[in-house]
Amino acid sequence: MQTMPAHAAHHDDREIETLDDFDATVSARGTLAGFRVQAVDLTDRTRQLLATDTTGAVFLGCPMREDAAAKVRADGAMVFPPVPNLPFNPYRGLLYSPDELFDGLAKGYEETPDARAYAWFQRTKADGDIFASMLRSIHDDAVSDALDELLRGTRVVGVMGGHAMARGTQAYAGAARLGRELTRSGLTVATGGGPGAMEAANLGAYAAPYDDDMLTEALRLLAEAPGFTPSVTDWAAAAFEVQARWPKGGTSVGIPTWFYGHEPPNPFASHIAKYFANATREDGLLARSNAGVVFLPGAAGTVQEIFDNATPNYYESRGEPTPMVLVDRAHWTERLPTWPLLTALARERSMESRIALVDRIEEAPAALKRLAG
């Protein structure tokens, strides 16, 4: 089973994203010249900053004492100070964890960093303020950078599907088993990071190291809070209860957005790349699914994702076409007849051998493997 690479070994070797990175770099290299330091609290590293060359360095949102800041500026470093009173850090070096986004859940979801960031977005998204839009862009760029560092060298399979799929249903259990099987086969599961089908696939990845009994019991516990309405707090608390009982779950990625802020991120993705811009998030999720995408039944959002994925496969703009597996024949040929259009587009192109329609979710992993050749 594939575990994701440790982040430190894989980021750009001029980027410093933790205090440990900072200390290791100063002691091993004796210089910070040309380095990028991202969101590291340096208030207790004044001595090192005063004694170390920082020519051409960039400090992004790093708290430091005034004498240290004056010295590094005099060296010719650029200092982007932390932005006060923001519910998120635009310069963050790493992806979110579920614990970070849901911190303070015991007081109610409204108190969590996730809900506060959404409230800030609601207040600022239409006010035309260049500063607010710049902060959102910097944040999303930092998240993309962290996501690339995390996924470097991994084979990623996207699992797409709607948020409406309720816990406690057969469809939800099927999506969880799919996520588990894909993870056990050495792939990294990536979803849109929300509730429903997305949560189920992330749950499956989480359950990968455990036996069947664990998944059965987890599904039973989650069914007590079937959806994120009426209470996000109860919905999320049920997920954290599962994690408390089985603490060492498998890793996976969730890529949600505050654009759909009424929809919370699910806590089963170990790494959460949450964006303000939905378009950046949609494209990023599909572009990183280098081992293919499984499309579970969904509505307009999932249809959009199918064709967002089909277009680069059609033009081969990202290189060779990647596998696309659509699940549920009746859904994709009758209810939302996407499959006939997809096959018409693919005809006599190299993507033709990379698309498949299966009746049952259990058939998806084998189809994915077959299409990958």
Side-chain angles (χ1 to χ4, degrees):
M1 197 165 66
Q2 174 171 336
T3 52
M4 279 187 236
H7 112 274
H10 283 266
H11 62 58
D12 175 329
D13 57 10
R14 291 186 313 148
E15 283 181 23
I16 294 174
E17 294 162 349
T18 66
L19 204 51
D20 288 345
D21 278 356
F22 179 87
D23 291 339
T25 303
V26 170
S27 75
R29 306 268 185 108
T31 179
L32 291 166
F35 277 82
R36 313 289 185 243
V37 191
Q38 250 178 294
V40 180
D41 188 340
L42 299 174
T43 38
D44 293 335
R45 294 294 183 275
T46 304
R47 189 169 53 79
Q48 289 86 335
L49 289 168
L50 293 177
T52 307
D53 180 18
T54 57
T55 312
V58 179
F59 294 88
L60 298 165
C62 300
M64 58 177 86
R65 299 199 194 282
E66 197 40 61
D67 49 343
K71 182 264 179 190
V72 302
R73 282 197 191 95
D75 279 353
M78 288 186 78
V79 179
F80 292 78
V83 182
N85 306 318
L86 266 191
F88 62 94
N89 183 347
Y91 302 114
R92 58 180 305 114
L94 305 171
L95 296 182
Y96 293 98
S97 69
D99 288 341
E100 183 182 0
L101 285 175
F102 286 100
D103 186 41
L105 182 67
K107 297 197 206 92
Y109 172 67
E110 292 63 37
E111 297 296 311
T112 63
D114 186 61
R116 293 206 314 272
Y118 175 58
W120 177 87
F121 183 36
Q122 288 299 96
R123 281 199 307 279
T124 62
K125 69 180 179 186
D127 66 7
D129 178 6
I130 180 70
F131 185 53
S133 64
M134 184 186 81
L135 291 172
R136 290 196 294 272
S137 297
I138 291 171
H139 169 274
D140 286 2
D141 195 59
V143 166
S144 288
D145 182 61
L147 187 57
D148 283 338
E149 288 164 5
L150 177 79
L151 295 179
R152 197 162 296 148
T154 56
R155 296 190 64 241
V156 179
V157 60
V159 179
M160 309 294 154
H163 64 258
M165 186 187 281
R167 293 168 173 176
T169 60
Q170 283 306 108
Y172 184 95
R177 286 193 293 271
L178 172 70
R180 185 176 68 170
E181 187 170 341
L182 294 170
T183 302
R184 285 177 175 173
S185 74
L187 297 165
T188 294
V189 168
T191 76
M198 300 172 273
E199 179 186 60
N202 288 127
L203 165 66
Y206 188 88
Y210 290 96
D211 62 10
D212 287 356
D213 292 346
M214 175 269 176
L215 186 55
T216 304
E217 184 62 10
L219 290 167
R220 190 190 64 73
L221 283 171
L222 292 170
E224 292 169 18
F228 62 93
T229 55
S231 167
V232 174
T233 307
D234 294 349
W235 174 86
F240 284 109
E241 188 188 335
V242 167
Q243 293 184 8
R245 284 188 59 173
W246 296 279
K248 292 199 166 23
T251 54
S252 67
V253 177
I255 306 183
T257 173
W258 280 294
F259 181 76
Y260 299 128
H262 63 284
E263 231 182 69
N266 82 73
F268 288 110
S270 52
H271 300 81
I272 300 176
K274 191 152 190 181
Y275 287 93
F276 288 107
N278 186 44
T280 310
R281 166 250 190 174
E282 288 276 3
D283 191 57
L285 173 52
L286 294 164
R288 290 175 178 87
S289 296
N290 54 10
V293 183
V294 177
F295 296 93
L296 302 179
T302 312
V303 172
Q304 181 184 342
E305 286 163 346
I306 288 171
F307 291 105
D308 278 347
N309 199 43
T311 304
N313 283 345
Y314 179 89
Y315 290 113
E316 299 193 42
S317 54
R318 290 183 188 137
E320 238 181 84
T322 50
M324 297 176 68
V325 178
L326 278 60
V327 175
D328 190 336
R329 191 173 304 271
H331 187 84
W332 296 120
T333 60
E334 293 159 32
R335 283 194 287 280
L336 295 172
T338 306
W339 178 250
L341 178 52
L342 189 62
T343 48
L345 272 176
R347 198 162 295 129
E348 293 177 6
R349 299 185 82 88
S350 56
M351 72 181 275
E352 191 169 23
S353 63
R354 296 292 174 91
I355 61 173
L357 175 64
V358 298
D359 285 312
R360 293 165 47 251
I361 200 164
E362 289 74 20
E363 300 167 63
L368 198 64
K369 206 168 177 178
R370 187 174 75 247
L371 297 180

